[in-house]
Amino acid sequence: MRHAVITAGSKGLGKMVTEELLKKGCSVTVNFRSDLARINELKEEWKEYGDRIQFVQGDVTKKEDIKYIFTQAMERFGRIDYLINNAGPYIAERKKLVDYTDDEWYEMVEGNLSAVYHFLKLTIPVMRKQKFGRIITYGFHEAEHAPGWVYRSAYGAAKVGLVSLTKTVALEEAEHGITVNMISPGDIVGEMKELNIQEARKMQDPNTPIGRPGSGEDIARVIAFLCDEDSDMITGSVISVAGGVDVVNKFRQVQHQSLNIIE
C-alpha cells in the first residue's frame, strides 16, 4: 500500500488531496498545526479509513516538528511514497517589503522553502531505497518566470526559490525513480478550497476565462495523476491549475484601473 505524507492536510486544498488519495487506497499521514476540533470532525468524517490514516500535530516552520512528522509516518506505516508539501504560510495583508517584520519574512521563507528542504532531506533516502517516490510542491501562477508580485515579496521570493529547488531535485533524483513537480493553484479561495468540480460548475466567475471558479478537487486530481506510477515521465514540471487567470497581475491591473479613474 502506498503511503502519503500531506502537510496541512486537514483543511482547504490539503483536505481535498488527502481525501482523493484515501479514495485511491493509499494510507495517509496528515499533518496539522493546532486545530484539534477539526481533527475530531475528520476522524468521524473519515472513520471508514481509520486503519489507513493518522493525524500528526506539528509546525512546518520548525525543523524538530518536521522530524517528528516524518518519524511518526515511518513508525506507523514504514514507508513514504508521496510527499505533498501542501503547507505554506501566507500573509493576506498587502504590504511592501519595507513594512515586513523580520519575523514575518522568516516565517514566509522557513514555511514555504526551508520546510521543503528539511522534508526532502528526510524522505529522499527512504524513497531511494524504495526506488520510487513522488514529491509535490506548491507555487503560484508564473512562479517559474520569477515575476514581480506587488505586496507579496516574501511569499513570492520563497516560492520562486522553491521552483529552482523542485527542478534541481527532480534532476538529481530521477535515477532513483523519484519525480518532483510543482502545482501552481489559481485564485482558489475560501470555501472553494473544499468544494468539488461539480459544485464549482454551478457557479459563474466572470474573472476566470473558463467561466467557473477553481475548486480543491481541481488541484487534488492533478496531484493524484502525478503520483501515479505511470506518470514517471513528468518530472521537474511546474503545472498551473488556474483556469487561465493571471493571479500575479490581477491586483496590478485593478491598481492601474483605479489610477486611471483618479486621473
Side-chain angles (χ1 to χ4, degrees), residues 89-109:
Y90 181 82
I91 296 175
E93 180 185 355
R94 295 187 176 100
K95 57 172 69 180
K96 293 183 178 180
L97 171 67
V98 295
D99 297 320
Y100 275 85
T101 66
D102 286 355
D103 287 344
E104 287 173 331
W105 173 269
Y106 287 115
E107 182 184 18
M108 292 299 100
V109 174

PDB file of all heavy atoms in Angstrom, residues 89-109:
ATOM      1  N   PRO A  89       2.884  29.110   4.784  1.00  0.00           N
ATOM      2  CA  PRO A  89       2.359  30.346   5.377  1.00  0.00           C
ATOM      3  C   PRO A  89       2.137  31.420   4.320  1.00  0.00           C
ATOM      4  O   PRO A  89       2.872  31.496   3.325  1.00  0.00           O
ATOM      5  CB  PRO A  89       3.468  30.764   6.356  1.00  0.00           C
ATOM      6  CG  PRO A  89       4.241  29.526   6.622  1.00  0.00           C
ATOM      7  CD  PRO A  89       4.176  28.715   5.363  1.00  0.00           C
ATOM      8  N   TYR A  90       1.132  32.252   4.564  1.00  0.00           N
ATOM      9  CA  TYR A  90       0.785  33.315   3.616  1.00  0.00           C
ATOM     10  C   TYR A  90       0.223  34.483   4.412  1.00  0.00           C
ATOM     11  O   TYR A  90      -0.603  34.293   5.305  1.00  0.00           O
ATOM     12  CB  TYR A  90      -0.262  32.799   2.631  1.00  0.00           C
ATOM     13  CG  TYR A  90      -0.686  33.795   1.573  1.00  0.00           C
ATOM     14  CD1 TYR A  90       0.083  33.992   0.431  1.00  0.00           C
ATOM     15  CD2 TYR A  90      -1.872  34.518   1.707  1.00  0.00           C
ATOM     16  CE1 TYR A  90      -0.305  34.888  -0.555  1.00  0.00           C
ATOM     17  CE2 TYR A  90      -2.273  35.417   0.723  1.00  0.00           C
ATOM     18  CZ  TYR A  90      -1.484  35.594  -0.402  1.00  0.00           C
ATOM     19  OH  TYR A  90      -1.874  36.487  -1.372  1.00  0.00           O
ATOM     20  N   ILE A  91       0.667  35.686   4.108  1.00  0.00           N
ATOM     21  CA  ILE A  91       0.170  36.876   4.784  1.00  0.00           C
ATOM     22  C   ILE A  91      -0.802  37.576   3.851  1.00  0.00           C
ATOM     23  O   ILE A  91      -0.414  38.067   2.782  1.00  0.00           O
ATOM     24  CB  ILE A  91       1.320  37.820   5.176  1.00  0.00           C
ATOM     25  CG1 ILE A  91       2.239  37.128   6.191  1.00  0.00           C
ATOM     26  CG2 ILE A  91       0.779  39.127   5.753  1.00  0.00           C
ATOM     27  CD1 ILE A  91       3.470  37.923   6.558  1.00  0.00           C
ATOM     28  N   ALA A  92      -2.066  37.616   4.235  1.00  0.00           N
ATOM     29  CA  ALA A  92      -3.100  38.186   3.372  1.00  0.00           C
ATOM     30  C   ALA A  92      -2.981  39.702   3.247  1.00  0.00           C
ATOM     31  O   ALA A  92      -3.317  40.279   2.213  1.00  0.00           O
ATOM     32  CB  ALA A  92      -4.480  37.807   3.904  1.00  0.00           C
ATOM     33  N   GLU A  93      -2.518  40.341   4.302  1.00  0.00           N
ATOM     34  CA  GLU A  93      -2.398  41.800   4.279  1.00  0.00           C
ATOM     35  C   GLU A  93      -1.427  42.236   3.194  1.00  0.00           C
ATOM     36  O   GLU A  93      -0.335  41.694   3.063  1.00  0.00           O
ATOM     37  CB  GLU A  93      -1.908  42.306   5.642  1.00  0.00           C
ATOM     38  CG  GLU A  93      -1.755  43.812   5.723  1.00  0.00           C
ATOM     39  CD  GLU A  93      -1.158  44.276   7.040  1.00  0.00           C
ATOM     40  OE1 GLU A  93      -0.944  43.419   7.929  1.00  0.00           O
ATOM     41  OE2 GLU A  93      -0.892  45.484   7.178  1.00  0.00           O
ATOM     42  N   ARG A  94      -1.827  43.225   2.410  1.00  0.00           N
ATOM     43  CA  ARG A  94      -0.945  43.746   1.363  1.00  0.00           C
ATOM     44  C   ARG A  94       0.031  44.735   1.983  1.00  0.00           C
ATOM     45  O   ARG A  94      -0.387  45.760   2.541  1.00  0.00           O
ATOM     46  CB  ARG A  94      -1.767  44.423   0.269  1.00  0.00           C
ATOM     47  CG  ARG A  94      -2.690  43.482  -0.501  1.00  0.00           C
ATOM     48  CD  ARG A  94      -3.319  44.210  -1.674  1.00  0.00           C
ATOM     49  NE  ARG A  94      -4.123  43.311  -2.482  1.00  0.00           N
ATOM     50  CZ  ARG A  94      -5.453  43.217  -2.417  1.00  0.00           C
ATOM     51  NH1 ARG A  94      -6.117  43.986  -1.579  1.00  0.00           N
ATOM     52  NH2 ARG A  94      -6.106  42.380  -3.185  1.00  0.00           N
ATOM     53  N   LYS A  95       1.302  44.432   1.875  1.00  0.00           N
ATOM     54  CA  LYS A  95       2.307  45.338   2.420  1.00  0.00           C
ATOM     55  C   LYS A  95       3.589  45.266   1.607  1.00  0.00           C
ATOM     56  O   LYS A  95       3.949  44.219   1.071  1.00  0.00           O
ATOM     57  CB  LYS A  95       2.592  45.037   3.889  1.00  0.00           C
ATOM     58  CG  LYS A  95       3.036  43.601   4.169  1.00  0.00           C
ATOM     59  CD  LYS A  95       3.481  43.425   5.613  1.00  0.00           C
ATOM     60  CE  LYS A  95       2.350  43.539   6.588  1.00  0.00           C
ATOM     61  NZ  LYS A  95       2.802  43.355   7.998  1.00  0.00           N
ATOM     62  N   LYS A  96       4.292  46.389   1.526  1.00  0.00           N
ATOM     63  CA  LYS A  96       5.544  46.444   0.789  1.00  0.00           C
ATOM     64  C   LYS A  96       6.667  45.806   1.605  1.00  0.00           C
ATOM     65  O   LYS A  96       6.555  45.648   2.816  1.00  0.00           O
ATOM     66  CB  LYS A  96       5.880  47.894   0.441  1.00  0.00           C
ATOM     67  CG  LYS A  96       4.909  48.520  -0.545  1.00  0.00           C
ATOM     68  CD  LYS A  96       5.308  49.938  -0.914  1.00  0.00           C
ATOM     69  CE  LYS A  96       4.339  50.517  -1.933  1.00  0.00           C
ATOM     70  NZ  LYS A  96       4.708  51.906  -2.321  1.00  0.00           N
ATOM     71  N   LEU A  97       7.746  45.469   0.918  1.00  0.00           N
ATOM     72  CA  LEU A  97       8.867  44.785   1.558  1.00  0.00           C
ATOM     73  C   LEU A  97       9.327  45.518   2.826  1.00  0.00           C
ATOM     74  O   LEU A  97       9.558  44.894   3.865  1.00  0.00           O
ATOM     75  CB  LEU A  97      10.033  44.672   0.575  1.00  0.00           C
ATOM     76  CG  LEU A  97      11.352  44.163   1.175  1.00  0.00           C
ATOM     77  CD1 LEU A  97      11.215  42.712   1.610  1.00  0.00           C
ATOM     78  CD2 LEU A  97      12.497  44.321   0.190  1.00  0.00           C
ATOM     79  N   VAL A  98       9.464  46.837   2.769  1.00  0.00           N
ATOM     80  CA  VAL A  98       9.999  47.571   3.911  1.00  0.00           C
ATOM     81  C   VAL A  98       9.069  47.545   5.115  1.00  0.00           C
ATOM     82  O   VAL A  98       9.486  47.884   6.231  1.00  0.00           O
ATOM     83  CB  VAL A  98      10.312  49.039   3.537  1.00  0.00           C
ATOM     84  CG1 VAL A  98      11.421  49.096   2.503  1.00  0.00           C
ATOM     85  CG2 VAL A  98       9.060  49.752   3.038  1.00  0.00           C
ATOM     86  N   ASP A  99       7.832  47.124   4.907  1.00  0.00           N
ATOM     87  CA  ASP A  99       6.870  47.081   6.008  1.00  0.00           C
ATOM     88  C   ASP A  99       6.783  45.711   6.676  1.00  0.00           C
ATOM     89  O   ASP A  99       6.070  45.542   7.664  1.00  0.00           O
ATOM     90  CB  ASP A  99       5.479  47.495   5.507  1.00  0.00           C
ATOM     91  CG  ASP A  99       5.457  48.935   5.012  1.00  0.00           C
ATOM     92  OD1 ASP A  99       6.099  49.777   5.662  1.00  0.00           O
ATOM     93  OD2 ASP A  99       4.811  49.204   3.984  1.00  0.00           O
ATOM     94  N   TYR A 100       7.492  44.725   6.122  1.00  0.00           N
ATOM     95  CA  TYR A 100       7.521  43.407   6.752  1.00  0.00           C
ATOM     96  C   TYR A 100       8.393  43.434   8.008  1.00  0.00           C
ATOM     97  O   TYR A 100       9.431  44.100   8.046  1.00  0.00           O
ATOM     98  CB  TYR A 100       8.089  42.357   5.789  1.00  0.00           C
ATOM     99  CG  TYR A 100       7.077  41.766   4.846  1.00  0.00           C
ATOM    100  CD1 TYR A 100       6.764  42.401   3.645  1.00  0.00           C
ATOM    101  CD2 TYR A 100       6.424  40.586   5.148  1.00  0.00           C
ATOM    102  CE1 TYR A 100       5.827  41.869   2.770  1.00  0.00           C
ATOM    103  CE2 TYR A 100       5.494  40.034   4.297  1.00  0.00           C
ATOM    104  CZ  TYR A 100       5.195  40.679   3.108  1.00  0.00           C
ATOM    105  OH  TYR A 100       4.268  40.149   2.257  1.00  0.00           O
ATOM    106  N   THR A 101       7.968  42.699   9.023  1.00  0.00           N
ATOM    107  CA  THR A 101       8.831  42.500  10.184  1.00  0.00           C
ATOM    108  C   THR A 101       9.788  41.350   9.870  1.00  0.00           C
ATOM    109  O   THR A 101       9.539  40.536   8.967  1.00  0.00           O
ATOM    110  CB  THR A 101       8.022  42.137  11.436  1.00  0.00           C
ATOM    111  OG1 THR A 101       7.399  40.842  11.243  1.00  0.00           O
ATOM    112  CG2 THR A 101       6.946  43.187  11.715  1.00  0.00           C
ATOM    113  N   ASP A 102      10.864  41.270  10.613  1.00  0.00           N
ATOM    114  CA  ASP A 102      11.799  40.153  10.421  1.00  0.00           C
ATOM    115  C   ASP A 102      11.103  38.816  10.641  1.00  0.00           C
ATOM    116  O   ASP A 102      11.333  37.850   9.903  1.00  0.00           O
ATOM    117  CB  ASP A 102      12.986  40.283  11.383  1.00  0.00           C
ATOM    118  CG  ASP A 102      13.954  41.386  10.976  1.00  0.00           C
ATOM    119  OD1 ASP A 102      13.764  42.000   9.902  1.00  0.00           O
ATOM    120  OD2 ASP A 102      14.897  41.630  11.746  1.00  0.00           O
ATOM    121  N   ASP A 103      10.249  38.751  11.661  1.00  0.00           N
ATOM    122  CA  ASP A 103       9.547  37.500  11.955  1.00  0.00           C
ATOM    123  C   ASP A 103       8.660  37.083  10.789  1.00  0.00           C
ATOM    124  O   ASP A 103       8.580  35.891  10.453  1.00  0.00           O
ATOM    125  CB  ASP A 103       8.706  37.642  13.223  1.00  0.00           C
ATOM    126  CG  ASP A 103       9.562  37.662  14.479  1.00  0.00           C
ATOM    127  OD1 ASP A 103      10.747  37.266  14.400  1.00  0.00           O
ATOM    128  OD2 ASP A 103       9.046  38.083  15.538  1.00  0.00           O
ATOM    129  N   GLU A 104       7.971  38.039  10.167  1.00  0.00           N
ATOM    130  CA  GLU A 104       7.111  37.717   9.027  1.00  0.00           C
ATOM    131  C   GLU A 104       7.933  37.214   7.848  1.00  0.00           C
ATOM    132  O   GLU A 104       7.555  36.251   7.173  1.00  0.00           O
ATOM    133  CB  GLU A 104       6.305  38.955   8.618  1.00  0.00           C
ATOM    134  CG  GLU A 104       5.193  39.303   9.589  1.00  0.00           C
ATOM    135  CD  GLU A 104       4.518  40.617   9.259  1.00  0.00           C
ATOM    136  OE1 GLU A 104       5.178  41.522   8.684  1.00  0.00           O
ATOM    137  OE2 GLU A 104       3.320  40.757   9.568  1.00  0.00           O
ATOM    138  N   TRP A 105       9.050  37.868   7.595  1.00  0.00           N
ATOM    139  CA  TRP A 105       9.907  37.438   6.488  1.00  0.00           C
ATOM    140  C   TRP A 105      10.391  36.009   6.694  1.00  0.00           C
ATOM    141  O   TRP A 105      10.281  35.160   5.804  1.00  0.00           O
ATOM    142  CB  TRP A 105      11.110  38.380   6.349  1.00  0.00           C
ATOM    143  CG  TRP A 105      12.110  37.885   5.350  1.00  0.00           C
ATOM    144  CD1 TRP A 105      13.189  37.090   5.595  1.00  0.00           C
ATOM    145  CD2 TRP A 105      12.094  38.113   3.937  1.00  0.00           C
ATOM    146  NE1 TRP A 105      13.867  36.818   4.420  1.00  0.00           N
ATOM    147  CE2 TRP A 105      13.220  37.423   3.387  1.00  0.00           C
ATOM    148  CE3 TRP A 105      11.256  38.835   3.079  1.00  0.00           C
ATOM    149  CZ2 TRP A 105      13.506  37.442   2.032  1.00  0.00           C
ATOM    150  CZ3 TRP A 105      11.548  38.846   1.716  1.00  0.00           C
ATOM    151  CH2 TRP A 105      12.658  38.165   1.209  1.00  0.00           C
ATOM    152  N   TYR A 106      10.916  35.722   7.886  1.00  0.00           N
ATOM    153  CA  TYR A 106      11.461  34.393   8.130  1.00  0.00           C
ATOM    154  C   TYR A 106      10.380  33.316   8.166  1.00  0.00           C
ATOM    155  O   TYR A 106      10.623  32.173   7.779  1.00  0.00           O
ATOM    156  CB  TYR A 106      12.287  34.389   9.420  1.00  0.00           C
ATOM    157  CG  TYR A 106      13.613  35.100   9.258  1.00  0.00           C
ATOM    158  CD1 TYR A 106      13.904  36.263   9.964  1.00  0.00           C
ATOM    159  CD2 TYR A 106      14.569  34.618   8.363  1.00  0.00           C
ATOM    160  CE1 TYR A 106      15.118  36.924   9.794  1.00  0.00           C
ATOM    161  CE2 TYR A 106      15.777  35.271   8.181  1.00  0.00           C
ATOM    162  CZ  TYR A 106      16.050  36.431   8.897  1.00  0.00           C
ATOM    163  OH  TYR A 106      17.237  37.089   8.715  1.00  0.00           O
ATOM    164  N   GLU A 107       9.176  33.680   8.610  1.00  0.00           N
ATOM    165  CA  GLU A 107       8.081  32.712   8.586  1.00  0.00           C
ATOM    166  C   GLU A 107       7.754  32.318   7.150  1.00  0.00           C
ATOM    167  O   GLU A 107       7.528  31.141   6.844  1.00  0.00           O
ATOM    168  CB  GLU A 107       6.835  33.270   9.260  1.00  0.00           C
ATOM    169  CG  GLU A 107       5.692  32.259   9.292  1.00  0.00           C
ATOM    170  CD  GLU A 107       4.409  32.816   9.877  1.00  0.00           C
ATOM    171  OE1 GLU A 107       4.267  34.048   9.961  1.00  0.00           O
ATOM    172  OE2 GLU A 107       3.534  32.008  10.239  1.00  0.00           O
ATOM    173  N   MET A 108       7.724  33.295   6.237  1.00  0.00           N
ATOM    174  CA  MET A 108       7.452  33.016   4.829  1.00  0.00           C
ATOM    175  C   MET A 108       8.538  32.120   4.227  1.00  0.00           C
ATOM    176  O   MET A 108       8.245  31.143   3.533  1.00  0.00           O
ATOM    177  CB  MET A 108       7.371  34.317   4.027  1.00  0.00           C
ATOM    178  CG  MET A 108       6.193  35.217   4.329  1.00  0.00           C
ATOM    179  SD  MET A 108       4.592  34.464   3.994  1.00  0.00           S
ATOM    180  CE  MET A 108       4.134  33.985   5.670  1.00  0.00           C
ATOM    181  N   VAL A 109       9.787  32.454   4.491  1.00  0.00           N
ATOM    182  CA  VAL A 109      10.893  31.700   3.905  1.00  0.00           C
ATOM    183  C   VAL A 109      11.007  30.306   4.524  1.00  0.00           C
ATOM    184  O   VAL A 109      11.176  29.305   3.819  1.00  0.00           O
ATOM    185  CB  VAL A 109      12.220  32.474   4.057  1.00  0.00           C
ATOM    186  CG1 VAL A 109      13.395  31.629   3.578  1.00  0.00           C
ATOM    187  CG2 VAL A 109      12.160  33.786   3.272  1.00  0.00           C
TER     188      VAL A 109
END
